[in-house]
Amino acid sequence: MSAFDRPNFDNHEGVHFFSDPVTRLKAIIAVHNTNRGPAAGGTRLWSYDTTQNALDDALNLSRAMSFKNAMADIPFGGGKAVIMRPSEDFDREQLFAAYGRAVESLNGIYCTAEDVGVSTVDMEVVRQNTQYVGGLDSGAAASGDPSPITAEGVFRGLHVATETALGQSDLKGLRVAVQGLGHVGYSLCEKLTAAGARLFVADINQEVLRKAEQVMGATVVSPNQIHAQDVDIFAPCALGGAINRDTIEDIQARIVGGAANNQLASEDMGHALRDRNILYCPDYVINGGGIINVAAELSGDYRPNWVDEKLNGLCKTLNEIFSLSAIEKEPTNVIADRLAIERIQAAA
Ligand code: NAD
């Protein structure tokens, strides 16, 4: 089946295949849409069983980046790259150098940063081979780890959701269940604690749980019960698919909002949440802080004020989504998709 016939092909502007037998590079860069500017999105290094699987991932993820970047209101379109992890031994530096040359050959229609399986060290190698890269630790406009900014965006977004669902302007006294205390989740917990919220946390890493217990007085619960806590907010900050057929009925929170990508296992979960009167903060809207931070770096002139304004913009967008959802009686994820498509088309 050709790329054009894949079910997740969505009139992507370009799908570029790169191979380099010397370094064992096999990479796909998918450029979904550049109406709003050059395509921006991370690079994933993953062990794919087949090229079709890698292609599907690139097609899906690049489309999602168009939506995320449009909702973050940054001057970038959507793109994503996947590198098929070689099954044989490989030289990581050489691999990323070859990948950097591949990015450079696209002359700026795609700008990259790190994603799953890729570190800032890898990105430094990429930078030596292309100018179209962000999310770096050093350099004139380096923005470093985007996670704290992602956490800040989620934190502000939860205020908007709390106002909408609970009629309360702060998070004081609220009970929040956080699933996953990684880079974003832990930072979010710190902010929630400072705001007077009471935390319930789960992770598979015992060390970070002990720290949250000791430092923030968090209550540790089992990973397979975190979604079912008697709380006001459930914040998925681990892997995708937290809202699925097995978990939906157990959710007691009035708000679902967190950093994880692809929180809804399927689109109908948005309807199911709405039916249960649970306000869902569309994931790619509330977690847009990280890409905003990278965009500030890609502009070549990192300005904290610009990042701050864009984070406030995310809150306005969330507010708009919640209002339209109430008026049109449609789930928030459906409204978000529609607004994203409108923004992309308006920039054509
Ligand atoms: P991370 O890898 O640092 O943290 C993930 C955490 O989840 C880890 O502590 C891990 O142990 C834990 N975890 C894994 N399986 C779990 C389970 N079954 N139950 C509970 N905890 C579990 O990742 P991160 O950078 O904090 O990102 C978290 C999520 O947010 C991811 O889905 C990521 O794609 C998304 N996201 C991150 C950013 C960012 O800036 N880092 C931006 C946008 C979206």
Side-chain angles (χ1 to χ4, degrees):
M1 192 187 272
S2 83
F4 294 127
D5 302 320
R6 301 302 297 167
N8 36 24
F9 179 74
D10 178 46
N11 291 317
H12 287 67
E13 287 177 14
V15 183
H16 307 265
F17 290 76
F18 295 91
S19 77
D20 177 39
V22 177
T23 60
R24 302 209 156 106
L25 175 77
K26 279 188 180 168
I28 303 172
I29 299 178
V31 173
H32 176 251
N33 189 284
T34 58
N35 286 3
R36 296 179 54 87
T43 299
R44 181 167 286 197
L45 175 68
W46 196 252
S47 298
Y48 292 98
D49 293 341
T50 63
T51 306
Q52 292 288 19
N53 288 348
L55 174 61
D56 284 341
D57 223 12
L59 292 175
N60 277 336
L61 294 166
S62 57
R63 180 174 185 268
M65 286 312 301
S66 287
F67 282 35
K68 182 183 282 207
N69 294 347
M71 293 311 251
D73 192 26
I74 54 175
F76 287 94
K80 198 89 176 186
V82 300
I83 300 176
M84 298 176 71
R85 194 184 174 89
S87 48
E88 311 93 343
D89 285 345
F90 66 99
D91 182 320
R92 200 167 172 109
E93 197 173 329
Q94 292 297 317
L95 185 88
F96 277 96
Y99 172 66
R101 292 192 292 274
V103 173
E104 181 67 19
S105 74
L106 293 178
N107 287 319
I109 59 167
Y110 168 68
C111 303
T112 196
E114 61 266 44
D115 190 53
V116 177
V118 177
S119 68
T120 48
V121 176
D122 299 324
M123 280 298 131
E124 288 296 337
V125 178
V126 172
R127 181 190 21 195
Q128 286 158 25
N129 293 277
T130 181
Q131 56 189 301
Y132 307 112
V133 56
L136 299 164
D137 277 337
S138 63
S143 62
D145 178 9
S147 308
I149 306 293
T150 303
E152 176 64 21
V154 173
F155 180 65
R156 293 190 196 182
L158 289 179
H159 278 82
V160 179
T162 299
E163 179 83 59
T164 304
L166 308 174
Q168 182 174 324
S169 61
D170 60 24
L171 305 181
K172 205 165 179 193
L174 294 191
R175 295 154 65 91
V176 186
V178 182
Q179 179 183 47
L181 303 188
H183 289 94
V184 184
Y186 195 87
S187 173
L188 176 64
C189 284
E190 290 177 323
K191 292 172 189 293
L192 290 168
T193 307
R198 175 146 174 236
L199 295 180
F200 297 77
V201 297
D203 201 290
I204 47 174
N205 174 351
Q206 299 306 315
E207 202 178 315
V208 78
L209 289 175
R210 267 196 300 277
K211 195 171 153 199
E213 208 172 12
Q214 284 165 8
V215 178
M216 300 184 262
T219 303
V220 174
V221 302
S222 138
N224 55 23
Q225 282 305 312
I226 186 71
H227 65 281
Q229 297 304 303
D230 180 11
V231 291
D232 302 290
I233 300 174
F234 171 42
C237 297
L239 309 173
I243 316 297
N244 57 54
R245 288 190 194 292
D246 294 332
T247 58
I248 185 91
E249 293 299 329
D250 298 333
I251 297 172
Q252 301 193 50
R254 284 290 320 282
I255 295 164
V256 171
N261 283 313
N262 305 322
Q263 290 170 32
L264 306 181
S266 53
E267 198 182 307
D268 60 325
M269 287 297 116
H271 286 270
L273 285 171
R274 187 172 184 282
D275 290 346
R276 301 194 66 231
N277 199 24
I278 298 169
L279 184 65
Y280 172 62
C281 307
D283 45 16
Y284 65 82
V285 182
I286 198 169
N287 74 11
I291 193 68
I292 287 173
N293 209 45
V294 171
E297 175 178 348
L298 287 171
S299 74
D301 174 25
Y302 185 91
R303 283 181 294 119
N305 283 353
W306 184 86
V307 172
D308 189 58
E309 277 167 27
K310 291 291 172 191
L311 290 181
N312 288 337
L314 276 189
C315 292
K316 279 197 195 122
T317 300
L318 269 180
N319 218 354
E320 186 183 355
I321 291 168
F322 296 155
S323 301
L324 288 172
S325 169
I327 294 166
E328 299 179 16
K329 301 186 176 19
E330 284 281 4
T332 52
N333 57 312
V334 172
I335 301 285
D337 284 359
R338 196 187 77 208
L339 290 185
I341 290 168
E342 280 172 12
R343 286 189 184 188
I344 293 164
Q345 287 176 346

